[in-house]
Amino acid sequence: MPMNFFPPPNVVGAILATLILWFLEMRFAYWPLPSNRLTHARNNFMLGICSLLLLGAAAGVSVTVSIFAREQGWGVLNWLRLPLFFETIAGALLYDLGNYWIHRSQHLVPALWRLHRAHHTDRYIDVSSAFRFHPLESLYRGVCFIALVFVAGISIYSILLYAVLASVALPLSHANLNIPTSWESWCRYGLVLPLHHRIHHSMKRAEYARNYGIVFLWWDLLFGTYLDPGTVTDLKTGLDYTTEKQSTELAALFREPFVSPTASAPFEDSR
Ligand SMILES: [Zn+2]
Ligand SMILES: [Zn+2]
C-alpha cells in the first residue's frame, strides 16, 4: 500500500531557509567565510539533529496537551474564547514571549547556563549556528514548551504557526549576512535579524545579556534588554574563556555542559 509522506511545514521551512541563506552568505557575508566553513556547519548540524529529534517529540506531546486542555477548557486562551484568527495570533505571540523568557532564564540560572553554553561557544556565527543547541538544552526547552502550551491554552494552530515562523526566523537571525545598520530603525518592530542577534553572541558582558528575542524583537524592547546594533563596534563572538577546541570539536560540544569554565559564566547579574 503506497504511503504518503509529507514532511512537517516547519521542517520544509527550515531546510529551504537554511539552503537559501547558506548561498546568500557566499555573496553578502558580514564576516569573511572561514576555511573550515563546511566542518563547522557539519558539527553544528550534528548537534542540531539530536536536539531537533527531542524538540519534535516535545512538539508531539504539546499537540496532545493542547487538545486535552481545549477539551477541558484549561489555560488562559481557552478561558478567553477569542475568535479563531485572533486566538491563533495571540497563541503564537505568547509562545514567542515564553521563548524569550526560557532563553533569558538560561542566562540567569547557572545550571541552565551550562546547558545553553554550547550555543555561545561558537566563535563564527552563521546559519548553521541556528542548530547549535545541546540536546539537554532542547530537553529543558521542550519541557518548558509543553508547560507553556498547557498554562496559556495555546491551540494546535498557534503551535503550527509558531513552528513555521521559528523555522525561518532562527536561521535568518544567525545568518552571516551584512545587513546595513541603517535598516535597524524600520526593522526593529519585526523579525530578529542577524544584526540584532549577533550582538547576543558577543564576548562582552554589556552586549551578550541583550537581544534575547527568538522570532520578534518586541520583548527585548518591552523588557529593556534591547541593544541598538548601531552602538556596537568591534564585535567579537564566542566566549573568551573557552578554547578553540570547545568552539569547533563535535565531542567538545556534547561535553560542554559537564566541563567547568575557567572564568565566571556570563550571567546578567554579573554585568
Ligand atoms: Zn543566549
Ligand atoms: Zn544564537
Side-chain angles (χ1 to χ4, degrees):
M1 196 171 139
M3 283 180 64
N4 289 323
F5 175 73
F6 296 103
N10 57 325
V11 174
V12 176
I15 292 171
L16 282 178
T18 302
L19 277 173
I20 292 168
L21 291 164
W22 176 266
F23 288 108
L24 284 176
E25 284 177 347
M26 294 163 78
R27 176 71 181 83
F28 305 103
Y30 177 75
W31 286 295
L33 303 184
S35 56
N36 66 342
R37 188 182 183 217
L38 275 174
T39 311
H40 167 265
R42 184 201 63 196
N43 289 347
N44 284 349
F45 288 136
M46 292 288 278
L47 195 70
I49 286 169
C50 300
S51 288
L52 290 173
L53 288 173
L54 281 165
L55 286 174
V61 176
S62 294
V63 167
T64 307
V65 167
S66 172
I67 293 168
F68 178 73
R70 171 56 58 99
E71 286 171 355
Q72 302 298 321
W74 293 345
V76 176
L77 289 174
N78 288 327
W79 296 333
L80 293 176
R81 294 185 171 275
L82 299 171
L84 180 64
F85 175 80
F86 294 109
E87 186 196 69
T88 304
I89 300 293
L93 290 177
L94 281 174
Y95 212 117
D96 197 47
L97 171 61
N99 218 348
Y100 167 91
W101 278 106
I102 291 165
H103 184 192
R104 200 166 166 185
S105 73
Q106 294 177 301
H107 285 257
L108 289 167
V109 180
L112 299 179
W113 166 246
R114 277 181 173 268
L115 309 185
H116 185 47
R117 206 166 53 199
H119 186 65
H120 280 266
T121 56
D122 206 349
R123 293 183 177 183
Y124 169 67
I125 307 300
D126 72 356
V127 65
S128 73
S129 307
F131 300 87
R132 185 180 169 116
F133 291 100
H134 196 278
L136 288 177
E137 171 173 8
S138 298
L139 190 64
Y140 166 67
R141 284 179 175 245
V143 170
C144 290
F145 290 149
I146 293 166
L148 179 65
V149 164
F150 181 74
V151 171
I154 293 173
S155 73
I156 56 172
Y157 302 110
S158 300
I159 294 172
L160 184 63
L161 174 62
Y162 189 73
V164 173
L165 281 172
S167 72
V168 175
L170 268 169
L172 175 63
S173 65
H174 288 87
N176 176 17
L177 290 181
N178 191 12
I179 294 176
T181 49
S182 55
W183 290 17
E184 191 278 336
S185 57
W186 62 265
C187 61
R188 84 163 49 168
Y189 300 104
L191 293 177
V192 177
L193 294 178
L195 76 169
H196 305 117
H197 189 70
R198 69 170 65 105
I199 292 169
H200 181 70
H201 284 268
S202 170
M203 282 186 184
K204 292 181 187 167
R205 293 190 173 193
E207 292 166 0
Y208 56 58
R210 302 299 186 96
N211 298 3
Y212 290 102
I214 306 296
V215 173
F216 298 112
L217 270 176
W218 308 329
W219 316 119
D220 283 297
L221 291 161
L222 185 65
F223 296 113
T225 52
Y226 179 67
L227 187 61
D228 184 336
T231 65
V232 175
T233 54
D234 191 28
L235 180 68
K236 288 191 179 65
T237 54
L239 297 174
D240 56 4
Y241 55 85
T242 53
T243 62
E244 183 68 22
K245 188 176 170 182
Q246 276 171 284
S247 170
T248 54
E249 280 194 11
L250 184 59
L253 290 183
F254 278 102
R255 277 199 306 270
E256 188 58 43
F258 309 104
V259 297
S260 294
T262 54
S264 59
F267 307 123
E268 278 190 30
D269 58 3
S270 62
R271 269 186 287 172

